Amino acid sequence: MIGIGNDHAAVELKQAICEHLKERGIEFIDYGIGPGEKIDYPDAAEMVCRDVVSGKLEKAILLCGTGIGISIAANKIKGIRACACSDAFSAKYTRLHNDANALCLGGRVVGAGLACELVDVFLDTEFEGGRHQRRVDKITALENK
Ligand code: RB5
């Protein structure tokens, strides 16, 4: 199960991604706000990320104006590895090497077409493990220092 959250700067992008996930038959929960509503991006990040950490969700898609604020907030939550990205290489390698569990996109940065492609790459790429597991374990250790 995928969770999707957004602030008011990414309502349209959220709607486009939800449509895309439906077309692909991917199950998701929409935690986000709709037109005319407002939420601060740290609150949007927390709602979805808590459910990733608890195991209810496999991954999060988080949207704000830039993708940056919501990624900074998400990365404060223990167990979350969030990546703000706007290119397919980063979306692929943050899964392969970082085992990222949250993809953060900017509604004022990427168009719907590119965003949906980034979502596909992110969801369809498996973590490589091996030497990368040791590094991810070190990130987890940092959370406990
Ligand atoms: C909200 O206006 C905007 O600041 C927010 O969506 C985001 O871009 C922050 O990083």
Side-chain angles (χ1 to χ4, degrees), residues 7-9 41 64-70 108:
D7 78 355
H8 43 276
Y41 58 83
C64 68
T66 58
I68 297 171
I70 205 158
R108 295 171 179 158

Side-chain angles (χ1 to χ4, degrees), residues 70-83:
I70 205 158
S71 71
I72 292 171
N75 277 316
K76 298 292 178 195
I77 297 171
K78 228 176 172 178
I80 294 297
R81 291 177 301 281
C83 171

Side-chain angles (χ1 to χ4, degrees), residues 10-82:
V11 173
E12 280 183 20
L13 185 61
K14 192 272 299 287
Q15 290 168 334
I17 293 173
C18 288
E19 279 311 307
H20 181 69
L21 293 174
K22 272 184 213 159
E23 278 166 22
R24 282 201 53 186
I26 294 172
E27 281 195 312
F28 66 94
I29 300 173
D30 179 3
Y31 292 72
I33 58 165
E37 297 179 299
K38 279 203 166 211
I39 187 171
D40 293 331
Y41 58 83
D43 300 326
E46 184 175 12
M47 255 192 286
V48 189
C49 290
R50 292 278 175 227
D51 281 349
V52 172
V53 170
S54 77
K56 179 176 174 183
L57 300 172
E58 194 192 322
K59 292 188 186 79
I61 298 168
L62 303 173
L63 314 170
C64 68
T66 58
I68 297 171
I70 205 158
S71 71
I72 292 171
N75 277 316
K76 298 292 178 195
I77 297 171
K78 228 176 172 178
I80 294 297
R81 291 177 301 281

